[in-house]
Amino acid sequence: MSKRAIYLLFVTLILSACSNTKYLTGNQKLYTGPDIQVDTSEITKSDQKFIQNEMKGLIRPLPNSSILGLRVKLWLYNKTHNRKNFIQKFLSKYGEPPVLISNVDVDQNAKIMANRLQNEGFFQSQANGDTASKGKTAKAIFHVAAGPSYAVRNIIWPVNKTNLDTAIAGTRSKTLFVPGNNYNLDIIKGERIRIDAQLKEEGFYYFAPENLIMKIDSTVGKHQVDIQVQVKGETPARARDIYAINNIYIYPNYTLRDTSLMLDKARPYNNYFVVQKREYVHDYVFKNVVQFHNGSIYSRTEHNKALNRFVELGPFKFVKNRFEDVPNTDSNKLNVYYFLTQYPRKSFRFEVLGRTTSANFTGTQLNINWRNRNAFKGAELLTVSLFGSTDVQVSGQNSGYNVYQAGIQTGLSWPRFIAPFNFTSSSAFVPHTNFTLQYAITNRQKLYALNSFSGSWGYQWKQNAHKTHEFHLADVNYVSAANVTQQYKDSIIHTRNPALKHVIDNQLTFGPSYSYTYTNTTEDYRINTFYYNGKISTSALALGLISGADTTAGKVRKIFGAPFNQYVKLENEIRFYHKTGLYSQIAARFIAGVGVPFGNSTIMPYSQQFFIGGTNSLRGFQARSVGPGTYYNADNGGFLADESGDIKLEANIEYRPKLFSIVRGALFMDAGNIWNMRSQAGVPGGAFSKNFINQLAIDAGFGLRFDLTVLVLRTDMGYPLRKPWLPAGQRLKLDTRDGVFNLAIGYPF
C-alpha cells in the first residue's frame, strides 16, 4: 500500500471519528464533560487545583472516552451497533453508546460535591450546576464556593476511670488525628476503627466502632474544631467489660449434621479440650495452634492467629469458630469452640504439565501424585510422586539431543518442629519439619544418563506474611553417570572442553543449608514491591577438616569409595517491581552467587554450579552457552555444552505494558556472566578477575506474553549486544541475524 493511500485512510478515520454527532436524533446532545469553576476568594491556589480534580472525579456519568480527542469507541458503536454482519458483531463489543447531556443530573452532582467538601472540612461550601450547549454537543458547568477549611485544634480524650474510658485514652499515642490538619470525616471513621481494633486486643470482645461518637465543636473560632472522643451513652454493659477465656473446645471431625456439643466426650489436653466421636487426630496436634488458655484476656490477634494455624495444619478445609458467654455465671468469661471440617484424608491426582527448563528445553511432564493428609493421626502429610518428562529444544544447537527424565519422590511433613529441643512459634503460621527422598534418572539422548539419589531433613517456618525461613540440617545428593556414549567421550577428547568431563563426574554432596525469603509482591495495592532470597549451603565442611582432605596435596578423601565434594556456596536474588500504570510495570532483577570449593574439591560439583543464558536468563544467548569469563569453544562436537562456573552475576530489566485483551508486551535488557573461582586447564579466560565488568555479556529484545489465566505463554526475541569472548574492541556489536527466539511458560522473574 502506497504512503498516499495510508495517509488517506488515516484522514478518513479521523473525519469519521469526528462526525459522531451526526448519529444523534431530535434534541439529543452529546455530553463532552464537566467544567469546574472554583471560587478562590478563601482558599489557596493549590487547594483550588485539588478541589477541581477531586470534584471532576465525582461527576457521573463520565463522558465517552477519547484518544487524542477522538471518541473511537463511540465511533465503533455508531458503526456496528446494528450488527449486520460477523465483523460488526465482533467489533460491537468494543463500542460505547453515546453519553447524552440529558443523562447528567447537575443538581444531584452539585449536592454530592458540596457534601464531599463538607466532609473534608469546608463546612460552608456550596455548589450549583448548569449546562451549556454548542451545536450537537453540551457540557456541564459547576460553580463551587468551598469557603474556608476548618482545621483540628484539640483532641479531647475520656477522663473517667472506667476500664473502657481508660483503655480508649490509652490509645491516644497512635491516633490518626493531627492538630493543624484539616477536618476529614474519613479520618474520623478510620479513628473509630483503629480504637476498636486496639480495644479488641485488650479484652473488649463485644465493643464495636459504632459505640464511639466523635463530637465536633466548630464554635472555637479561627476556623478550627475540637474533637471530643466519647462512648455513646446507649452502649450496652457487656461492650464496656473486659472478657477472659474460660474453656476451649476443639472438634476435629465436625460435620454439618452435628448439632450437639457433646461436652460429655470432651477430653482435656494441655490448655484445651478435644471432642471427637472417634479419634481422627491425636490430642497433642493442637498444642501450638491455640495460644489462648483459661484466664487469658481475649485478643483479636490471637483469635485470628488460631484460625489461620488450624488451616495451616493441613488436614482441615474449613474452620468455624464461636465465642459464647459462660452460662449461669456473673463472670465475664467466654467459652471458645472450634469446629473443623476435614479434607478427604487420601487423594490421588494425575497431572499433565507444559514447562520450560533453564537449559532452553520445552516439553511436557506427567505427574502421578498420592497424598495422605493425616498419615499417622498427627496431621502428617505423606506424599508419593511418580514423574516422567520429555524435553526438546525448539531453537538451538541441541536440537536432536532430547532429554528424558523419570523418577520417584516421597516426602513426609510434620506441622511442628521435630527436634530434641522445644521450639515454639508465636506467628500465625505453623512451622513444618520436612523429610524427603528422591531418585531420578536423566537420559540425554545420544550422550549420557545420570542417576541421582537425594534426601533431606529440615525445617520451614514463616516469621510473618512476608518472611520465610528454611533450614536443612542435612541435604544429601549423589549423582553418577551411566551409559556414556562413545560420541560424548570422543567430544571430550576432541574439544578439550573440561565442562564436558565435569558433567559425568560422580558427585557426592552433604551438609546443611539455610535460606531466607522476604517478599511483599502479593500486595497488589503497592506501587513498588520487592522480593529477596538469600541462601547459604555447605558440603562436608566438618568432615573435610577432620579428615585433612586436600586435593591439591594429593589427599583425596572418600566415602564408600566415592570422593566427596567440599564447598561453601552463597546465593542472592533481588527483584523489584514498579507499577507505571494500572496494567503496566517495570520489573528488575539482580543475581549474585559464589561457590568456594576447597579441601577435597578444586571446582564446584556440576549440580551446584551456576549457569547463564536462555529463556529465564540472558535471552539473547543460547541456554548455558555464555562463559565462563571470556572462554568460548566454537568446536563443540555437534552439540552445545553446558558451560558452568563457580561465580555468577546477572542483571535484568524489562518494561511490561498491556497491549490489548490477553496480550502483554515486553521490552528487556539482560547482562551477566559466570566465572570459575580458579583457573582451569582448557578454559582460558574463565577465572574471575578484576576485569570482570569488561567480561559481561549484554543483550536486549522484545516479547509478547499471552495471559491465558491458567498459564502465561511467553515469546521473547533477544539480540546479543555484547559478546565477551570476542577480542577487545569488537565485543560491542548488534547483528539482527544473531537473534534468539525464546518460547517459555511463565514470566522470567
Side-chain angles (χ1 to χ4, degrees):
M1 185 182 291
S2 65
K3 289 185 177 179
R4 182 176 298 176
I6 294 174
Y7 293 151
L8 181 60
L9 179 64
F10 182 69
V11 171
T12 302
L13 178 63
I14 291 178
L15 292 176
S16 298
C18 292
S19 62
N20 283 313
T21 55
K22 73 179 183 181
Y23 296 96
L24 301 176
T25 60
N27 294 323
Q28 289 183 332
K29 295 183 184 296
L30 186 68
Y31 173 53
T32 58
D35 180 11
I36 311 294
Q37 300 175 3
V38 180
D39 183 357
T40 60
S41 59
E42 295 185 272
I43 59 175
T44 64
K45 286 187 176 181
S46 61
D47 280 343
Q48 177 199 13
K49 188 174 181 180
F50 172 79
I51 291 172
Q52 278 181 324
N53 291 333
E54 186 180 29
M55 296 302 104
K56 187 175 181 180
L58 295 176
I59 298 171
R60 293 295 183 270
L62 297 174
N64 290 106
S65 59
S66 63
I67 302 175
L68 300 177
L70 304 177
R71 297 180 178 86
V72 179
K73 289 188 175 182
L74 175 57
W75 177 78
L76 277 174
Y77 172 84
N78 288 328
K79 291 293 186 181
T80 64
H81 73 282
N82 290 327
R83 301 186 178 187
K84 294 179 179 179
N85 55 48
F86 172 77
I87 295 178
Q88 288 182 339
K89 288 180 180 180
F90 174 77
L91 293 175
S92 65
K93 63 183 180 181
Y94 299 104
E96 187 178 83
V99 179
L100 305 177
I101 190 64
S102 58
N103 301 133
V104 182
D105 187 337
V106 291
D107 291 335
Q108 182 62 27
N109 276 292
K111 289 179 182 178
I112 292 173
M113 291 184 195
N115 182 259
R116 171 62 67 89
L117 289 171
Q118 289 165 10
N119 290 343
E120 294 177 346
F122 297 93
F123 295 149
Q124 301 172 24
S125 64
Q126 295 180 346
N128 57 75
D130 202 350
T131 61
S133 302
K134 183 178 181 181
K136 284 286 190 178
T137 62
K139 63 180 179 179
I141 301 175
F142 294 94
H143 300 276
V144 178
S149 61
Y150 282 69
V152 176
R153 188 185 72 164
N154 294 319
I155 302 97
I156 303 169
W157 298 90
V159 294
N160 294 331
K161 299 304 180 181
T162 65
N163 288 335
L164 181 57
D165 284 336
T166 301
I168 292 173
T171 70
R172 71 173 66 193
S173 63
K174 296 182 180 180
T175 181
L176 302 180
F177 295 137
V178 179
N181 282 6
N182 281 3
Y183 166 92
N184 191 302
L185 182 61
D186 289 337
I187 299 295
I188 288 179
K189 293 178 180 178
E191 178 71 356
R192 290 169 61 183
I193 294 172
R194 183 197 69 82
I195 293 173
D196 174 68
Q198 183 60 43
L199 294 179
K200 288 294 192 296
E201 301 302 314
E202 300 178 24
F204 292 92
Y205 176 76
Y206 287 107
F207 194 83
E210 294 75 22
N211 297 136
L212 284 172
I213 185 171
M214 307 291 181
K215 291 187 175 180
I216 310 300
D217 183 1
S218 60
T219 64
V220 296
K222 298 182 180 180
H223 301 127
Q224 292 179 313
V225 298
D226 286 346
I227 301 176
Q228 186 173 14
V229 183
Q230 288 185 352
V231 178
K232 291 181 180 179
E234 63 270 24
T235 300
R238 66 177 187 172
R240 300 172 182 268
D241 292 333
I242 297 174
Y243 279 78
I245 303 301
N246 187 46
N247 292 331
I248 303 161
Y249 300 95
I250 302 173
Y251 296 75
N253 45 16
Y254 170 78
T255 67
L256 293 176
R257 295 187 300 270
D258 296 332
T259 58
S260 172
L261 292 177
M262 301 181 293
L263 296 183
D264 57 314
K265 297 182 180 295
R267 188 168 59 236
Y269 183 90
N270 205 16
N271 57 325
Y272 53 84
F273 294 83
V274 179
V275 185
Q276 46 187 338
K277 290 174 287 188
R278 65 182 187 281
E279 188 177 57
Y280 177 72
V281 292
H282 297 308
D283 297 347
Y284 65 78
V285 166
F286 309 106
K287 182 174 64 173
N288 295 320
V289 174
V290 181
Q291 301 295 321
F292 285 138
H293 57 81
N294 190 296
S296 64
I297 300 300
Y298 169 82
S299 163
R300 177 185 282 173
T301 296
E302 290 303 326
H303 174 187
N304 292 334
K305 281 182 180 180
L307 295 177
N308 195 72
R309 290 193 196 106
F310 276 117
V311 175
E312 287 258 316
L313 282 175
F316 306 107
K317 188 175 184 178
F318 302 113
V319 181
K320 181 181 176 182
N321 180 223
R322 193 165 77 209
F323 288 80
E324 290 185 354
D325 290 332
V326 176
N328 304 320
T329 178
D330 294 331
S331 63
N332 298 325
K333 284 198 171 185
L334 300 167
N335 283 332
V336 190
Y337 302 89
Y338 296 101
F339 305 98
L340 313 181
T341 303
Q342 308 160 12
Y343 278 106
R345 183 168 181 174
K346 299 177 183 178
S347 62
F348 181 84
R349 185 170 60 185
F350 178 78
E351 297 176 324
V352 180
L353 307 175
R355 69 174 189 176
T356 58
T357 70
S358 61
N360 209 29
F361 284 88
T362 302
T364 58
Q365 179 171 328
L366 302 178
N367 293 332
I368 300 174
N369 302 312
W370 177 86
R371 61 168 52 194
N372 188 326
R373 294 180 180 271
N374 188 27
F376 309 110
K377 295 187 177 182
E380 303 90 351
L381 175 62
L382 175 63
T383 59
V384 179
S385 300
L386 297 173
F387 58 89
S389 65
T390 175
D391 298 286
V392 298
Q393 195 170 90
V394 176
S395 62
Q397 201 165 347
N398 285 322
S399 180
Y401 296 91
N402 299 338
V403 178
Y404 303 95
Q405 190 176 40
I408 181 172
Q409 178 177 345
T410 182
L412 185 60
S413 179
W414 294 266
R416 52 192 168 275
F417 286 118
I418 305 295
F421 308 100
N422 185 25
F423 293 100
T424 59
S425 172
S426 60
S427 79
F429 304 93
V430 173
H432 286 81
T433 301
N434 300 315
F435 172 69
T436 62
L437 289 174
Q438 177 176 304
Y439 166 74
I441 180 169
T442 303
N443 181 22
R444 190 166 182 185
Q445 193 177 23
K446 304 178 185 178
L447 300 177
Y448 57 80
L450 295 177
N451 291 291
S452 175
F453 305 86
S454 62
S456 68
W457 174 278
Y459 307 98
Q460 183 180 40
W461 69 99
K462 295 188 72 170
Q463 184 176 340
N464 52 43
H466 298 249
K467 301 175 183 178
T468 303
H469 304 264
E470 191 164 355
F471 174 56
H472 284 188
L473 280 174
D475 274 317
V476 182
N477 188 33
Y478 176 69
V479 180
S480 64
N483 302 325
V484 181
T485 65
Q486 191 61 44
Q487 177 188 356
Y488 194 78
K489 294 177 182 177
D490 292 342
S491 66
I492 296 175
I493 298 172
H494 179 67
T495 64
R496 299 178 183 177
N497 185 352
L500 297 179
K501 174 65 171 62
H502 194 44
V503 172
I504 59 174
D505 286 339
N506 290 347
Q507 305 161 51
L508 175 60
T509 65
F510 54 91
S513 66
Y514 168 76
S515 71
Y516 168 80
T517 301
Y518 174 89
T519 180
N520 60 2
T521 54
T522 57
E523 299 175 350
D524 294 335
Y525 63 88
R526 293 181 180 271
I527 295 177
N528 299 311
T529 54
F530 178 79
Y531 169 92
Y532 170 75
N533 176 258
K535 182 178 181 180
I536 180 171
S537 55
T538 67
S539 176
L541 187 62
L543 181 60
L545 294 174
I546 294 171
S547 63
D550 188 351
T551 299
T552 57
K555 299 178 181 179
V556 180
R557 301 296 186 248
K558 299 181 179 181
I559 296 179
F560 305 117
F564 57 82
N565 296 101
Q566 195 173 5
Y567 63 83
V568 174
K569 183 180 179 183
L570 297 172
E571 302 168 79
N572 293 276
E573 180 178 357
I574 300 172
R575 302 175 190 174
F576 175 74
Y577 303 91
H578 172 73
K579 287 184 179 179
T580 56
L582 189 59
Y583 299 108
S584 61
Q585 69 172 191
I586 293 174
R589 176 178 68 176
F590 177 71
I591 297 174
V594 57
V596 183
F598 62 94
N600 219 39
S601 302
T602 58
I603 189 170
M604 292 286 290
Y606 178 75
S607 61
Q608 296 296 323
Q609 285 193 301
F610 299 104
F611 306 90
I612 201 166
T615 57
N616 297 321
S617 183
L618 307 187
R619 286 160 280 183
F621 299 87
Q622 295 288 350
R624 304 188 178 189
S625 63
V626 179
T630 59
Y631 172 74
Y632 181 71
N633 186 5
D635 186 6
N636 47 45
F639 59 90
L640 196 62
D642 291 343
E643 301 296 350
S644 56
D646 302 331
I647 301 172
K648 178 178 181 178
L649 291 175
E650 181 180 334
N652 320 84
I653 187 169
E654 67 178 38
Y655 173 56
R656 300 171 176 171
K658 180 178 180 179
L659 301 181
F660 58 90
S661 186
I662 63 170
V663 183
R664 288 166 170 77
L667 297 174
F668 61 83
M669 179 173 284
D670 310 308
N673 207 336
I674 55 172
W675 295 266
N676 288 326
M677 180 63 67
R678 303 182 181 90
S679 297
Q680 299 288 329
V683 190
F688 188 80
S689 69
K690 62 182 180 181
N691 296 320
F692 71 94
I693 292 292
N694 296 322
Q695 299 174 359
L696 295 177
I698 303 175
D699 68 61
F702 58 90
L704 294 175
R705 288 80 194 274
F706 304 89
D707 190 346
L708 306 176
T709 305
V710 294
L711 60 86
V712 175
L713 181 65
R714 173 165 55 94
T715 59
D716 287 329
M717 195 71 191
Y719 297 92
L721 300 181
R722 194 173 190 276
K723 300 178 180 179
W725 57 82
L726 294 178
Q730 301 179 26
R731 295 174 179 173
L732 194 62
K733 181 181 179 182
L734 172 61
D735 188 345
T736 56
R737 294 172 298 179
D738 288 346
V740 176
F741 175 74
N742 298 274
L743 176 65
I745 295 173
Y747 286 97
F749 56 90

